[in-house]
Amino acid sequence: MTTAANIAPEARLPHFLSAATELDAAPLHIDEISAEATRSLKDARSCLRGEIRSISEDSYKNLYAELMPIGTSRSEPLSIRIARRNRDQLETVLSGSNMPDLEELLVCGRCVTVAGVLAVNTRHNAYFDVHGISSHSAYPGPALRALKGHIEFLREHGVDERRLSTRFEYDKQMPGDTPIRNVTILAARDSHAYDDFAHSIAHLLRTRRVVLTRRTVRMEGDGAAEEISAALAAITADDADAVVVVRGGGGTNAFRPFDDPILVEEVIHHPLPVVTGLGHARNVTSTDRAAFAAFSTPTAVGEALRRAVYGAEKRERVVRYGPPRAARDDARPKSFRSGPAEQEAARVRQLNSDMMAQNDRLRLEKRTAENDVASVQARYRHVLHTMGLRRIRTLSRIRGWAWAAPALVATGIALGVPEAAGAAAITAVCCALVAVFLWRGPLRAVRPARRPETFASHEQWEAAAMEVSTPRRFRRVWSVLTD
């Protein structure tokens, strides 16, 4: 394999981009290639020209974007980062040189030239650390021109002007006071986005506050827009109070069906409110702009729906039974307010309310910690499983070749010595069968075990999983988790 250290500095950038493409296809070599690329390119400045596809900002004021390089064979954008210190320097340089500011330069669809260094983060993902931006070479790219065409199409169909800005802002809550009881959701088959949405409204589903109906449609590929449009057209006001469209994250090309005019026009003219939760915050589509409400993720849709349902119930209680007692006491004149005993009771009620809120926060933190622990344990078990399979594969190859060698020798004897041909042939066949049996060790290792092994503790199972070296032992050890 050609390494990055053997390539001239001016040719390192396209080589690294092709290496990054190889990383996606062969993650087993990612540590070696990433370390090699980091050592070779950490001090080499390069220039990259491309089209901005998405922009985001983290809590540390670092800017992240996706840049589709021009003149390379990459089909997916490359991540770029502008650290906070570099961001402040760039804004100072641009403001002092009478050039457009950084916010005007970094617009989705604009083609820019950035200077910086290539790096690899702790997750072994390649990104470009930007130190400088050339404003003279910035011009609208194909994505920005397409975005302007989509915006004009939406404007012609009467979409609200605040949703047509290039810096689209997602909704924080459900607009209006319309009660939502029956919800029809469109999602792909085996969609994690549907699971996230259903998990966020699990309490509403258990208490029958909301009735959820799922319809499975394709969310990407040719014909996906027509299939989603047909599913929307089949939903009437008798079926639901609102329609939710969700899908998980993905590449830029995966969201093209949601810019299709057929689907956008169906969303605009649909008799029911259409709510979207497509991908992540960087995946803004024309369907989001045309929807009744658009949220950054499927989980955000569920949280907004939960707040809307609980808010409607609270307003209904106020209309039916009047405001809470504390609000009634505050509304009365001072001469008619409650005495010391009532004030003490109100203070106790406030303390109870604060304690309940604190308990809710603690339960949420506990649930988050449990999820983090479960995620770490799952990754650790995956590492143990992979290491065990690799060990069995290596030992199977060694043992298989050890039995294949006598088979080859016996075959030679059978062909060269007619007197011993019979015994040599039998020996060759037996050795070959044993070699094939040993060679198929990894396939036998992943079969379900008839009698899983029992362990007294998790530490004993972990020690066995780290030392397993035979297929039979491997499937007996790992069948404990599946059973």
Side-chain angles (χ1 to χ4, degrees):
M1 178 184 293
T2 305
T3 62
N6 300 329
I7 300 176
E10 61 274 7
R12 286 176 179 175
L13 179 59
H15 170 76
F16 187 85
L17 295 178
S18 62
T21 305
E22 293 176 4
L23 297 185
D24 297 335
L28 293 180
H29 307 289
I30 194 166
D31 294 329
E32 177 185 356
I33 298 177
S34 299
E36 219 169 70
T38 304
R39 287 195 302 269
S40 174
L41 299 168
K42 65 180 181 179
D43 296 326
R45 287 181 173 269
S46 304
C47 289
L48 180 62
R49 188 182 188 88
E51 181 184 358
I52 298 175
R53 292 297 176 87
S54 65
I55 304 169
S56 59
E57 182 180 4
D58 63 6
S59 57
Y60 299 101
K61 303 299 181 181
N62 298 321
L63 280 178
Y64 293 89
E66 290 185 343
L67 199 72
M68 178 63 75
I70 298 175
T72 65
S73 59
R74 282 182 66 89
S75 60
E76 290 294 333
L78 177 70
S79 298
I80 67 173
R81 185 193 72 170
I82 303 178
R84 182 174 61 179
R85 59 181 185 278
N86 297 330
R87 180 180 178 180
D88 296 337
Q89 295 175 1
L90 286 174
E91 290 178 348
T92 303
V93 171
L94 293 174
S95 62
S97 57
N98 197 17
M99 295 181 181
D101 57 13
L102 194 61
E103 185 175 352
E104 294 180 4
L105 286 178
L106 295 179
V107 177
C108 290
R110 188 180 296 278
C111 295
V112 296
T113 300
V114 294
V117 295
L118 290 162
V120 177
N121 60 14
T122 55
R123 296 183 180 180
H124 305 297
N125 296 324
Y127 71 95
F128 194 79
D129 199 3
V130 176
H131 296 160
I133 298 179
S134 174
S135 62
H136 298 289
S137 59
Y139 61 92
L144 185 57
R145 292 194 293 269
L147 175 60
K148 291 182 178 179
H150 296 324
I151 290 177
E152 289 299 325
F153 176 79
L154 294 171
R155 184 177 286 114
E156 292 175 359
H157 284 75
V159 176
D160 190 358
E161 195 66 28
R162 68 181 181 85
R163 290 184 169 272
L164 302 182
S165 173
T166 54
R167 291 190 176 274
F168 180 77
E169 294 184 1
Y170 287 99
D171 293 293
K172 301 300 181 184
Q173 60 184 7
M174 289 287 184
D177 299 332
T178 304
I180 299 176
R181 300 300 181 190
N182 298 319
V183 177
T184 299
I185 181 170
L186 302 183
R189 189 182 304 276
D190 301 329
S191 172
H192 294 291
Y194 173 80
D195 298 336
D196 295 340
F197 175 79
H199 178 73
S200 61
I201 62 169
H203 186 263
L204 299 180
L205 298 177
R206 287 197 302 268
T207 57
R208 303 296 293 177
R209 286 181 170 90
V210 170
V211 178
L212 187 63
T213 303
R214 180 179 180 180
R215 299 195 179 186
T216 303
V217 294
R218 288 191 301 121
M219 286 292 172
E220 62 179 281
D222 296 335
E226 290 78 3
E227 186 171 341
I228 300 173
S229 301
L232 283 174
I235 302 173
T236 63
D238 298 332
D239 300 329
D241 299 325
V243 182
V244 177
V245 183
V246 297
R247 69 149 289 160
T252 305
N253 297 332
F255 290 86
R256 286 185 176 177
F258 298 98
D259 291 325
D260 194 289
I262 298 176
L263 176 57
V264 174
E265 192 169 358
E266 179 64 33
V267 171
I268 293 173
H269 299 294
H270 201 275
L272 294 176
V274 178
V275 183
T276 60
L278 305 175
H280 302 290
R282 65 177 183 270
N283 305 121
V284 180
T285 65
S286 298
T287 302
D288 291 321
R289 299 175 185 273
F292 174 76
F295 297 89
S296 56
T297 60
T299 303
V301 180
E303 293 173 353
L305 178 61
R306 189 174 65 244
R307 289 194 298 268
V309 172
Y310 289 149
E313 290 184 354
K314 184 177 180 180
R315 289 190 297 271
E316 185 179 351
R317 286 196 300 268
V318 170
V319 172
R320 180 176 299 179
Y321 303 109
R325 182 172 181 176
R328 295 198 301 269
D329 289 343
D330 293 340
R332 290 188 300 174
K334 291 184 178 180
S335 58
F336 292 97
R337 291 189 184 179
S338 57
E342 291 294 335
Q343 293 177 1
E344 183 66 20
R347 190 177 67 84
V348 172
R349 286 195 299 269
Q350 183 63 35
L351 289 176
N352 290 336
S353 177
D354 295 341
M355 290 179 61
M356 293 177 62
Q358 181 68 18
N359 290 336
D360 292 339
R361 287 193 294 270
L362 291 176
R363 282 195 294 268
L364 179 60
E365 293 177 359
K366 178 182 177 182
R367 192 180 304 113
T368 303
E370 291 175 351
N371 292 338
D372 294 341
V373 171
S375 177
V376 171
Q377 291 177 350
R379 288 197 295 268
Y380 180 62
R381 287 195 296 268
H382 176 70
V383 171
L384 287 180
H385 192 272
T386 304
M387 290 174 57
L389 278 181
R390 288 181 178 178
R391 190 183 306 113
I392 291 174
R393 186 182 297 111
T394 303
L395 293 177
S396 298
R397 299 299 184 265
I398 294 174
R399 294 166 182 167
W401 282 116
W403 281 89
L408 295 175
V409 172
T411 302
I413 294 174
L415 296 176
V417 182
E419 294 80 3
I426 294 174
T427 303
V429 171
C430 294
C431 292
L433 292 176
V434 174
V436 172
F437 177 79
L438 294 174
W439 194 271
R440 292 173 57 86
L443 298 178
R444 291 184 287 111
V446 295
R447 293 175 182 174
R450 296 180 179 178
R451 291 179 297 175
E453 191 169 348
T454 57
F455 298 95
S457 62
H458 180 76
E459 289 75 11
Q460 185 179 0
W461 174 87
E462 182 179 332
M466 295 179 65
E467 297 175 357
V468 63
S469 59
T470 62
R472 181 181 180 185
R473 173 78 170 174
F474 182 87
R475 64 172 177 262
R476 291 188 65 187
V477 168
W478 284 95
S479 293
V480 175
L481 296 181
T482 58
D483 293 344

